[in-house]
Amino acid sequence: MIEGLLQSSPSLTNFLIFFGLATAFLMVVLGFVTYGILAERKTMAFMQGRIGPNQVGGRWGLLQTIADVLKLLLKEDTIPKLADRPLFILAPVIAFTPAFMVLATIPFTESFQFADIGVGLLYYVAVSGITTIGIVTGGWASNNKYALMGGMRAAAQMISYEIPLVMSVIGVILLSGSLNLNEIVAAQGETMWFILLQPVAFVVFFIASVAELNRTPFDLPEAESELVAGFHVEYSGFRWAFFMLAEYVYLFAMAALTTVLFLGGWLPPFEFLSFIPGAIWFSLKFMFIVFLLMWIRYTFPRLRADQLMEFGWKVLLPVALGNIFFTALMKELFFR
């Protein structure tokens, strides 16, 4: 059915169908954000010997995040008098929109994917970088020195960690011979998961992805102890919620991309387990990566700005370069 729609000529009916599918998927992602935040709070509380949200929505606090969202929607939308009003309003939209756009190319199962394009991995990397423009724009438009410093930090951090992030996946591209995410999963089915063939690439990719998500210990753009709240210090209400929504949608997207690139996507770990649907395998691997990203957030302290930059340029970049060399050598010797 989907293939037929893709091959048919453009029409209002096709537009409405795809618009409905995209809206339904957005609701699923928003559901993940809602209960992902709750899961993060509860897990953090457990590790720190606290209770966590346990009042709104019963014993488990299941409606706490929903109540927080309603509170944000009802808060006054303030815009500083000296802010650049058009850019101030536009910045949260620029930050959020790419976070949802990149999900179009993620293959969640063999048959469930919105856009199977030949360069899906390149599309993800290119589009995700646009979010930094929204962050820098918000920092500049706020006319606040702390917001501007946060925006500049975000730009420097993106430049520093985007390079090792991209270079870490070159080994995956060499072994699979493709930028298509479906073909990368298929290549892992023919050999083994790339986390086993590319463990160094996985470590570099995972660390760089935490930095790209601006999450602790790489949350320098919004460091509360230094910059109050960084690039979004002047935002309130639903505009602030857009920035937070972008962060958690990227958490969803990055965990899904990591699953596809290194954990075999929807493929089972062993052939005799293939009777279990691929969607279940993808969900289990996806939740494992999400848990790791959350675990790191409340385990490690925030780095200093100079440590952040030095680690990206002096450690991750040389390691990623070395991995490319050894991957090319391994491919020439064993995978010809």
Side-chain angles (χ1 to χ4, degrees), residues 137-152:
T137 302
W140 168 263
S142 297
N143 194 30
N144 180 296
K145 62 181 179 181
Y146 296 115
L148 181 59
M149 289 175 65
M152 294 298 101

Side-chain angles (χ1 to χ4, degrees), residues 193 263-282 284-285:
W193 294 358
L263 299 181
W266 58 86
L267 299 177
F270 303 103
E271 187 63 31
F272 68 88
L273 295 173
S274 58
F275 66 92
I276 300 176
I280 294 178
W281 286 120
F282 190 97
L284 291 174
K285 300 170 188 177

Side-chain angles (χ1 to χ4, degrees), residues 288-323:
F288 172 71
I289 296 297
V290 170
F291 173 74
L292 284 183
L293 290 168
M294 291 180 177
W295 187 5
I296 287 173
R297 177 182 178 182
Y298 33 79
T299 300
F300 294 99
R302 181 185 298 123
L303 296 176
R304 295 199 315 262
D306 61 314
Q307 293 172 333
L308 175 87
M309 302 301 288
E310 286 184 5
F311 185 71
W313 290 103
K314 295 183 179 181
V315 178
L316 289 188
L317 182 58
V319 171
L321 282 169
N323 182 71

Side-chain angles (χ1 to χ4, degrees), residues 163-231:
I163 297 173
L165 179 79
V166 173
M167 297 186 74
S168 66
V169 301
I170 291 179
V172 172
I173 297 171
L174 286 173
L175 293 179
S176 62
S178 175
L179 286 165
N180 184 287
L181 295 176
N182 287 287
E183 294 180 6
I184 290 175
V185 174
Q188 294 176 76
E190 296 173 0
T191 55
M192 62 180 68
W193 294 358
F194 286 151
I195 191 174
L196 301 176
L197 292 175
Q198 291 281 288
V200 175
F202 172 76
V203 172
V204 173
F205 180 87
F206 189 79
I207 294 174
S209 66
V210 176
E212 288 290 300
L213 293 171
N214 292 333
R215 292 173 64 86
T216 308
F218 302 105
D219 60 336
L220 274 297
E222 53 184 274
E224 293 87 350
S225 59
E226 304 169 21
L227 304 180
V228 188
F231 63 90

